[in-house]
Amino acid sequence: MAGRFAPRTARPALPHQAAPAARRRTGAPQTGALPSGPASAGRTEAAVPGAAGYAEAPLPGAEGCARAPSPGAEGRAEPSLTREWTPPGPLDLRLVLGPLRRGPADPTFRMTPDGAFWRAARTPEGPGTLRVAARGDRVGAEAWGPGAEWLLAGLPALLGADDDPDAFTPHHHLLAVTERRRPGLRLLRTGLVMESLIPSVLEQKVTTDEAYRAWRLLVRRYGTPAPGPTAALGLHVMPDARTWAMIPSWEWHKAGVDTKRSSTILRAVRVAPRLEQASAMPFPQAKARLELIPGIGPWTSAETLQRSNGAPDAVTVGDYHLPGIVGHALGDNRHATDEEMLTLLTPYEGQRHRATRLILLSGRIPERRGPRMTPGNIAAL
């Protein structure tokens, strides 16, 4: 259906266009620090239409979850929910949340100088923004938008509460040393399939720079500004399934996405509710569900389920670099194939994704001896 209709949603203003106008209306200075927590004392909480779903009482199972006003994009007090959570062990937010970042200019993810991580997501309850920061041995979170409650309820799973690092037994000295040096590594679980599936499809058979550019352009053009105080960050929530399906064919082309990848995304968004159900399935069934879609193979399903399901055994097969990296680290074979990589990872059956993460964190990566892949530019055709 791509190209037949233009999306009904108007194109949102880009951050560099919207932010100055908002500052002029409010009289705010052109520069300034972004609020890193709840609003200062004395600020009143304003009613926001459609905010009836916000709960005054703590969320079920949430420690210290409360409602607090925070300054909105135009100076208004925008309701937010807050929560604190104590992880069961060491936790490195950068290692845990890093896989959600699709390039340095990802419009759905930011890390700010104060050490906070911002994430914009389209939840089953609607768009939401989540800010996460370490507070000593605890983690503090604040969320905005219709999806705020959903994001805070899933905070422990997002930060690896469902992960079991003790299930991993290193059989190589390199992995044993890396595991001791990186005790804060946990495998995240977002519970959202489409937000990981679509950028994974965009990364098929192209350079990472090309894929990141396509994701950035499409989300900024067809997504919506993230709720909360995010104007200065330029955060956007990715489009919903209907909007993805309505993107014209020439816009895919301008973003550098070929017909094969765009067609795969269009097939996926038509059955988005069925694919989202995979987030609650065991890994084999979830993998089979995703691979029913033509164009989604083992590489794409693994890259998706590593994030949406926190699958510790979702090893990425079919990757251009990973077999050589694993082969070099575990077998001194920089030219290893997928089959040889899987053989080397046999002792880690059930934890092969964690094993590959530790290998990548070890720094034992073979030097590149061949020419880099030349980025394509189909938009210029």
Side-chain angles (χ1 to χ4, degrees), residues 31-338:
T31 58
L34 192 72
S36 59
S40 58
R43 191 181 295 273
T44 59
E45 181 174 354
V48 175
Y54 289 101
E56 298 288 352
L59 297 175
E63 302 175 25
C65 180
R67 185 177 183 175
S70 292
E74 300 186 7
R76 297 188 303 269
E78 185 169 351
S80 70
L81 292 174
T82 61
R83 176 178 184 177
E84 282 197 343
W85 177 67
T86 303
L91 185 69
D92 188 326
L93 290 178
R94 185 190 293 269
L95 291 181
V96 175
L97 297 176
L100 297 178
R101 181 174 176 258
R102 305 285 183 167
D106 185 351
T108 68
F109 188 92
R110 289 285 189 274
M111 179 180 177
T112 50
D114 60 358
F117 294 83
W118 293 74
R119 157 174 158 75
R122 185 168 295 280
T123 76
E125 304 299 326
T129 302
L130 179 69
R131 179 188 181 275
V132 182
R135 297 177 180 174
D137 61 348
R138 299 168 70 84
V139 174
E142 189 171 6
W144 296 262
E149 284 194 51
W150 193 94
L151 288 170
L152 289 182
L155 178 69
L158 178 69
L159 300 182
D162 299 334
D163 184 32
D164 183 13
D166 295 335
F168 180 80
T169 302
H171 297 277
H172 295 80
H173 177 70
L174 177 69
L175 297 189
V177 171
T178 307
E179 186 185 32
R180 288 197 300 270
R181 290 177 176 175
R182 304 284 191 169
L185 173 64
R186 286 181 174 270
L187 303 183
L188 62 86
R189 180 180 180 275
T190 65
L192 299 171
V193 172
M194 297 305 295
E195 76 164 17
S196 295
L197 176 63
I198 292 175
S200 295
V201 172
L202 293 175
E203 293 170 7
Q204 292 176 352
K205 306 296 184 181
V206 295
T207 65
T208 53
D209 287 344
E210 291 175 87
Y212 292 160
R213 175 181 177 273
W215 173 249
R216 182 171 66 250
L217 292 177
L218 292 169
V219 171
R220 284 180 177 171
R221 183 170 180 83
Y222 293 101
T224 55
T230 63
L233 295 174
L235 277 180
H236 280 65
V237 178
M238 79 168 204
D240 58 16
R242 181 181 181 277
T243 303
W244 283 113
M246 302 289 279
I247 295 178
S249 59
W250 57 86
E251 293 292 348
W252 292 104
H253 187 85
K254 287 166 62 176
V257 182
D258 56 47
T259 303
K260 183 177 180 180
R261 288 179 290 154
S262 63
S263 297
T264 299
I265 293 173
L266 293 177
R267 286 190 290 266
V269 297
R270 288 173 188 145
V271 291
R274 294 282 292 168
L275 295 183
E276 289 291 357
Q277 293 173 2
S279 65
M281 296 178 178
F283 173 63
Q285 289 88 330
K287 182 175 183 291
R289 172 68 64 90
L290 265 60
E291 293 179 12
L292 287 173
I293 306 298
I296 297 178
W299 185 92
T300 306
S301 64
E303 288 288 311
T304 301
L305 297 175
Q306 288 167 5
R307 297 167 173 84
S308 64
N309 292 35
D313 199 44
V315 59
T316 305
V317 176
D319 192 80
Y320 185 77
H321 300 288
L322 189 60
I325 294 173
V326 174
H328 177 72
L330 302 185
D332 198 22
N333 177 13
R334 60 176 294 137
H335 302 293
T337 63
D338 278 331

